[in-house]
């Protein structure tokens, strides 16, 4: 569900909104939401709209595009409306067109625009309901989140102040129960009227306070948990101090102890005395850091007994579409569209298998057939964080009854190399993380990700989506470049697993 998080990331809507509002002196819903998280964030967002932190990167841009697409599709589920299709910053025209559509009796208005004082909002869907109207806010999430409520309350307040009789408010979000091709239930409309009414009278106070803040110098706001809640603030690098290597916040699964440990005078793991109780893995981390060496538990040898040749080293790359397009898929299902598999014999010989989908057709039948063939002689199938591969294969087995048995046989042979590293080995450069991108360069230094154009699973997923669903819109050279970068990335992961297991075996010998 990482894509859902990325899509909903408030920073994206803030970036989009404020690119349009650069010349505006007023407040928007998104600015007010930024101010509710942190007044300093609001101040920088308004006074430094060209700040590099506010410019969307590739991931943020893709998330914004996807949110736009979901909103466009949502409109078709509340049909018969008039779209206020004008540039975002044509405030006066947008207000006038909205007023005209309402006066003309439009049953639904999309992007209906309203202003109250110095606050401007655009409502995703405004629907006539009896003698009044309902406000519908479209979200790309699969449920209503607490932070959606002030977002809707701000809109409701402005709409009412602008003179409209608002009788209800809804959040229209994606529905995980929906399965392609039946998209009739793609969205769920959740009534949030009561929850919104309960906080709506706070909006004028929020606005007044933020207007005052914006008139003054940059406010002094200490860092805290609000910096990452509900969205990660884009200004973290400005506010948060650079931490020394092996700061106590890097202790594995013990982040919650950071404040306490710092209060007790422990700044880094080097400072931690032995009597400070830590979890099993964090304790190993302390030993590794303080002794400046890789700690290898004697239990590693036993754990490696599970890796019996022939071995297939497997990695998937997936897309997680908000709006499913393949039979049986739900919103945000991670569907494999690419795999790499290094098959290794007992004598060390390695054969490489790989496959990458070509276009928007269902990739699963061909991928499953190729995967089964690549793994057919393997006694052990190794993945890193194998739960992900397991879920992908189980979903494919359900969708493809003809391949169900051999796919389930792959699941039965899966072994997780991440669990082996996490439970038996710690290198000081892990920094409290067991992600392959950290573990591999630490234990197998010649296999760094630095030389790869695509070196990250989220970027790979976005690029795969671009390659498959914008296939005809890409130049041949661009397609070839993308395919080559994606194949290289996935190959690097599975070749990395081959070398990682080799390295672990060396450690016990
Ligand atoms: S990093 Fe924290 S304190 Fe700094 S602007 Fe962002 S939310 Fe505010």
């Amino acid at each position: 569900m990482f894509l859902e998080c990325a899509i909903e990331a408030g920073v994206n809507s803030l970036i989009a909104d404020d690119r349009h509002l650069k010349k505006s002196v007023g407040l928007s819903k998104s600015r007010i939401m930024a101010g509710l998280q942190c007044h300093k964030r609001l101040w920088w967002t308004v006074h430094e709209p060209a700040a590099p932190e506010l410019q969307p990167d590739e991931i943020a841009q893709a998330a914004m595009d996807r949110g736009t697409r979901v909103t466009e599709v949502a409109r078709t589920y509340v049909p018969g409306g008039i779209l206020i299709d004008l540039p975002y910053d044509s405030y006066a025209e947008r207000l006038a067109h909205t007023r005209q559509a309402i006066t003309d009796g439009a049953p639904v208005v999309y992007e209906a625009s309203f202003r109250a004082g110095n606050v401007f909002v655009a409502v995703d869907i405004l629907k006539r309901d009896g003698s009044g109207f309902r406000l519908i806010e479209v979200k790309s999430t699969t449920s209503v989140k607490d932070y959606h409520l002030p977002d809707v309350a701000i809109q409701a307040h402005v709409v009412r102040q602008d003179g409209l009789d608002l009788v209800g408010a809804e959040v229209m979000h994606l529905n995980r129960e929906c399965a392609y091709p039946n998209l009739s239930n793609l969205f769920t409309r959740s009534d949030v009227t009561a929850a919104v009414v309960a906080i709506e009278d706070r909006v004028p106070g929020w606005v007044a306070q933020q207007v005052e803040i914006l008139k003054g110098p940059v406010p002094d706001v200490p860092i805290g948990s609000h910096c990452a809640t509900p969205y990660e603030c884009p200004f973290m690098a400005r506010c948060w101090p650079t931490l020394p290597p092996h700061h106590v916040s890097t202790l594995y699964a013990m982040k919650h102890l950071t404040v306490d440990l710092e209060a007790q005078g422990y700044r880094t793991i080097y400072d931690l005395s032995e009597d400070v109780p830590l979890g099993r893995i964090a304790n190993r981390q302390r030993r590794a850091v303080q002794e400046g060496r890789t700690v290898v538990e004697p239990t590693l040898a036993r754990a490696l007994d599970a890796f019996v040749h022939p071995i297939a080293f497997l990695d998937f790359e997936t897309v997680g579409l908000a709006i499913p397009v393949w039979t049986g898929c739900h919103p945000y299902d991670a569907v494999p569209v690419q795999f790499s598999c290094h098959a290794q014999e007992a004598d060390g010989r390695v054969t490489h298998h790989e496959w990458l989908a070509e276009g928007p057709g269902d990739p699963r039948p061909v991928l499953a057939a190729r995967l089964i063939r690549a793994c057919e002689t393997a006694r052990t199938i190794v993945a890193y964080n194998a739960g992900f591969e397991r879920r992908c294969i189980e979903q494919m087995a359900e969708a493809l009854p003809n391949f169900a048995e051999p796919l389930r046989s792959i699941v039965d042979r899966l072994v997780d190399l991440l669990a082996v590293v996490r439970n038996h080995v710690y290198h000081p450069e892990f920094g409290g993380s067991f992600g392959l991108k950290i573990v591999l360069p630490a234990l197998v230094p010649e296999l760094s990700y630095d030389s790869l154009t695509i070196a990250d699973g989220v970027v790979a997923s976005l690029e795969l989506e671009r390659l498959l669903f914008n296939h005809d819109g890409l130049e041949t050279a661009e397609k070839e470049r993308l395919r080559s970068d994606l194949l290289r990335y996935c190959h690097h992961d599975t070749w990395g697993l081959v070398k990682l297991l080799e390295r672990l075996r060396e450690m016990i010998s």
Side-chain angles (χ1 to χ4, degrees):
M1 299 294 286
F2 64 89
L3 277 173
E4 178 188 334
C5 301
I7 285 160
E8 183 54 10
V11 61
N12 301 333
S13 64
L14 285 174
I15 290 167
D17 202 2
D18 280 297
R19 278 193 303 169
H20 295 302
L21 281 167
K22 273 176 191 170
K23 294 176 193 150
S24 161
V25 292
L27 286 170
S28 66
K29 177 190 76 172
S30 297
R31 283 180 174 179
I32 298 171
M33 289 296 289
L36 290 180
Q37 181 175 3
C38 171
H39 286 151
K40 196 193 276 185
R41 176 179 181 175
L42 169 71
W43 197 96
W44 277 328
T45 300
V46 172
H47 290 295
E48 295 183 29
E53 294 94 332
L54 294 173
Q55 310 316 309
D57 59 14
E58 190 183 2
I59 294 173
Q61 187 61 52
M64 285 191 289
D65 293 345
R66 197 179 303 221
T68 303
R69 170 86 184 120
V70 168
T71 302
E72 285 168 0
V73 173
R75 288 182 200 140
T76 67
Y77 286 72
V78 190
I82 289 178
L83 174 64
I84 306 303
D85 191 12
L86 289 163
Y88 192 91
D89 55 359
S90 303
Y91 302 118
E93 292 90 335
R94 293 178 66 91
L95 293 168
H97 282 238
T98 300
R99 187 56 64 193
Q100 190 63 52
I102 291 170
T103 307
D104 291 347
V108 181
V109 185
Y110 313 120
E111 298 299 321
S113 303
F114 299 92
R115 179 163 222 155
N118 48 5
V119 184
F120 179 90
V121 298
V123 175
D124 288 334
I125 302 173
L126 186 76
K127 187 177 188 312
R128 219 172 267 276
D129 185 350
S131 60
F133 292 86
R134 294 184 79 74
L135 177 167
I136 303 170
E137 169 70 7
V138 179
K139 294 293 185 193
S140 307
T141 51
T142 54
S143 62
V144 179
K145 311 285 184 195
D146 286 347
Y147 56 85
H148 292 160
L149 300 176
D151 174 323
V152 179
I154 294 160
Q155 297 177 62
H157 171 76
V158 173
V159 170
R160 282 193 226 279
Q161 289 294 303
D162 211 3
L164 221 65
D165 178 17
L166 198 67
V167 297
E170 299 176 11
V171 172
M172 184 174 182
H173 56 82
L174 290 164
N175 173 20
R176 280 279 294 157
E177 299 303 311
C178 169
Y180 187 88
N182 178 10
L183 297 185
S184 61
N185 60 343
L186 178 61
F187 290 97
T188 298
R189 284 170 55 180
S190 300
D191 192 300
V192 293
T193 309
V196 164
V197 167
I199 57 171
E200 206 181 310
D201 61 358
R202 293 192 221 158
V203 178
W206 297 340
V207 172
Q209 189 184 28
Q210 292 186 12
V211 167
E212 281 310 304
I213 293 278
L214 288 171
K215 285 182 194 159
V218 60
D220 185 17
V221 182
I223 57 171
S225 59
H226 66 277
C227 299
T229 313
Y231 317 118
E232 180 154 315
C233 175
F235 297 110
M236 296 279 257
R238 292 194 191 188
C239 298
W240 284 72
T242 306
L243 297 175
H246 304 298
H247 184 258
V248 287
S249 62
T250 65
L251 278 167
Y252 177 76
M254 310 212 76
K255 216 173 180 63
H256 57 287
L257 291 186
T258 302
V259 174
D260 276 358
L261 289 172
E262 282 203 307
Q264 292 170 50
Y266 302 115
R267 183 141 169 82
T268 71
I269 295 172
Y270 296 112
D271 307 329
L272 285 174
S273 55
E274 265 190 30
D275 56 352
V276 176
L278 298 176
R280 185 171 53 89
I281 295 168
N283 194 36
R284 189 179 305 130
Q285 180 180 3
R286 171 169 53 191
R287 278 164 55 209
V289 170
Q290 292 186 348
E291 294 169 18
R293 67 180 181 93
T294 306
V295 172
V296 181
E297 302 292 347
T299 48
L300 176 63
R302 184 84 187 270
L304 293 181
D305 286 347
F307 295 79
V308 180
H309 280 98
I311 301 176
F313 296 84
L314 175 64
D315 183 51
F316 286 147
E317 300 306 327
T318 61
V319 294
L321 303 175
I323 301 169
V325 297
W326 298 314
T327 302
C329 292
H330 311 91
Y332 298 116
D333 271 355
V335 180
V337 295
Q338 176 184 3
F339 79 88
S340 169
C341 176
H342 279 91
Q344 188 181 46
E345 302 297 329
D347 62 7
R349 274 181 303 124
V350 176
T351 313
H352 184 236
H353 308 260
E354 64 185 355
W355 187 78
L356 169 55
E358 286 277 349
D362 190 343
R364 294 170 297 174
V366 181
L367 186 141
R370 299 289 184 96
L371 177 67
I372 290 163
R373 206 175 316 147
C375 295
E376 65 189 347
T377 59
R379 286 181 67 188
T380 310
I381 297 171
V382 177
Y384 201 82
N385 196 15
F388 180 72
E389 272 70 19
R390 178 173 288 115
R391 278 191 299 281
C392 288
I393 298 170
E394 282 169 348
Q395 282 174 7
M396 276 199 292
E398 226 167 89
L400 306 168
N402 291 345
F403 293 117
E405 203 184 311
L407 284 173
R408 294 207 168 100
S409 153
I410 293 177
V411 169
D412 292 342
R413 288 174 282 156
L414 270 176
V415 181
D416 192 352
L417 195 54
L418 180 149
V420 172
V421 175
R422 186 170 51 205
N423 291 327
H424 306 280
V425 180
Y426 196 91
H427 185 291
E429 283 173 25
F430 287 177
S433 164
F434 291 93
L436 188 60
K437 275 67 183 168
I438 303 287
V439 165
L440 191 57
L443 294 183
V444 189
E446 67 272 24
L447 283 183
S448 122
Y449 284 79
D450 294 347
S451 64
L452 297 180
T453 309
I454 295 174
D456 171 274
V458 176
V459 173
S461 183
L462 291 172
E463 293 291 47
L464 280 163
E465 210 174 311
R466 196 156 71 91
L467 180 67
L468 302 189
F469 295 96
N470 191 22
H471 197 257
D472 297 337
L474 294 175
E475 298 286 335
T476 306
E478 172 71 349
K479 264 187 278 198
E480 286 311 311
R481 185 193 63 76
L482 262 182
R483 284 186 70 82
S484 160
D485 290 345
L486 286 159
L487 290 169
R488 237 181 113 215
Y489 170 62
C490 205
H491 175 283
H492 187 88
D493 272 357
T494 51
W495 180 242
L497 295 184
V498 174
K499 302 311 277 180
L500 180 57
L501 182 60
E502 211 172 280
R503 177 79 188 104
L504 294 174
R505 288 200 199 280
E506 286 166 12
M507 286 174 170
I508 58 168
S509 65

